[in-house]
Amino acid sequence: MLRTLLGTDLWIDQKSNQAFNLDTVLLADFIKVPAKSKTVLDLGTGVGALMLYLSTKTKAKIIGVEVQEDRYLQALKNVELNHLQNQLFCLNQDIKTLKMKNVDCIVSNPPFFKVTETSNINDNDDETIARHEVLINLEELVSTVSKTLKFAGHFFMIHRPNRFAEIVSIMQKYQLEIKRVRFVHPYIDHKANHVLIHAIKNGQPESIIEAPLVLYKEKHIFTDEMNKINGGK
C-alpha cells in the first residue's frame, strides 16, 4: 500500500500489518534533534516511517535498527523510494546486540505491553513483536540506549502512562535523566493514553512537564494543534 507520509511530501509503502500509527506521528513531532547531532539511531524502526519524518528535521545521518527481516526490507525500499540513501541507513539486527558507542541522539517507539499469562497476544508474530515485549523489554531497551549514547546524548521515546513510574525508575538506574514530559489525551476530559519523554544521559535532575496534547475536539474531529501536527490533513 503506497501513500504519502502524513504531513510531508514523502512516500511510504507498507503492508497492512506493518502500518505505522499515530504513535509515530506524535513522537516525530515531539523530537527535537540537537543541531550538532551527527548520528541519530531509530531503535525498532519498523518500515522506516519515523526515519522518514526525521529526515525533514535534521541533516544528521539516521540509522534504523529493525530485528524483523520483512520490516527491515520494507524500510530499505522506503528509503530508496524517497531517494534518501545518502542520509538514511538500516540494520537488520537485534537491538540488544548493538555495539555502537557515543551516538548523539536515539529515538524509539518500542513495544508497549508486557507479556504475561493473561496477555492478549496477536496470532501474527509480526504484530506481536511490534506491540509486546517478546524480544526486548523496557529495561533492556533503556540499558542499550544508555550504553550507546554519548555523555549528554539525547533520547526520545513514546510509551504508555500506566508505565510512567517504571520508566522513571529504570531511566534513573541507567543514568538517563528525564528532561521533558508531555502527556497525550484523546479528549480534554479523558485520561492520558500516551506519554512522550525526552531524556539526557547524565543530565541534571530537572524536568519540564509540558502542556498536555489533546487529540480530538469531538469524535473524528482533531484539535487545531493536532491538525497542525498532521499538516492540515
Side-chain angles (χ1 to χ4, degrees), residues 119-148:
S119 293
N120 182 22
I121 299 296
N122 303 308
D123 291 333
N124 185 314
D125 287 342
D126 185 285
E127 293 182 23
T128 297
I129 291 169
R131 292 173 55 82
H132 294 81
E133 294 181 337
V134 175
L135 297 183
I136 189 167
N137 62 35
L138 179 61
E139 181 160 3
E140 289 169 336
L141 172 67
V142 174
S143 172
T144 298
V145 168
S146 182
K147 288 185 289 188
T148 306

Side-chain angles (χ1 to χ4, degrees), residues 2 8-9 31 45 49 64 103 115 120 146-147 159 180 218:
L2 180 65
T8 76
D9 296 324
I31 292 169
T45 195
V103 171
V115 177
N120 182 22
S146 182
K147 288 185 289 188
H159 219 286
R180 295 167 51 222
E218 52 187 281

Side-chain angles (χ1 to χ4, degrees), residues 77-225:
K77 291 179 182 178
N78 286 322
V79 171
E80 294 173 1
L81 181 66
N82 291 283
H83 309 291
L84 290 168
Q85 299 96 315
N86 290 331
Q87 184 185 12
L88 308 189
F89 307 87
C90 301
L91 299 175
N92 183 203
Q93 188 173 345
D94 186 331
I95 291 167
K96 300 190 298 293
T97 67
L98 279 177
K99 301 299 182 184
M100 299 177 69
K101 301 288 184 183
N102 298 314
V103 171
D104 300 295
C105 182
I106 298 177
V107 303
S108 186
N109 179 6
F112 291 156
F113 305 109
K114 292 184 177 182
V115 177
T116 67
E117 291 181 359
T118 58
S119 293
N120 182 22
I121 299 296
N122 303 308
D123 291 333
N124 185 314
D125 287 342
D126 185 285
E127 293 182 23
T128 297
I129 291 169
R131 292 173 55 82
H132 294 81
E133 294 181 337
V134 175
L135 297 183
I136 189 167
N137 62 35
L138 179 61
E139 181 160 3
E140 289 169 336
L141 172 67
V142 174
S143 172
T144 298
V145 168
S146 182
K147 288 185 289 188
T148 306
L149 275 180
K150 70 177 186 180
F151 182 88
H154 295 250
F155 176 46
F156 298 87
M157 179 178 72
I158 187 168
H159 219 286
R160 291 289 176 131
N162 64 344
R163 298 189 67 181
F164 184 65
E166 179 186 3
I167 291 167
V168 173
S169 176
I170 292 174
M171 286 201 176
Q172 288 179 338
K173 178 178 177 180
Y174 292 97
Q175 294 79 51
L176 289 168
E177 192 66 39
I178 294 176
K179 306 301 289 183
R180 295 167 51 222
V181 176
R182 192 174 197 193
F183 289 96
V184 182
H185 301 251
Y187 298 93
I188 195 166
D189 58 349
H190 284 52
K191 66 182 181 180
N193 57 3
H194 290 89
V195 60
L196 295 155
I197 297 169
H198 171 203
I200 294 179
K201 184 176 179 180
N202 304 111
Q204 295 299 311
E206 182 180 8
S207 301
I208 296 173
I209 308 298
E210 298 185 351
L213 172 58
V214 179
L215 303 182
Y216 297 96
K217 295 179 182 178
E218 52 187 281
K219 192 173 183 180
H220 304 312
I221 300 178
F222 282 128
T223 60
D224 292 344
E225 182 175 10

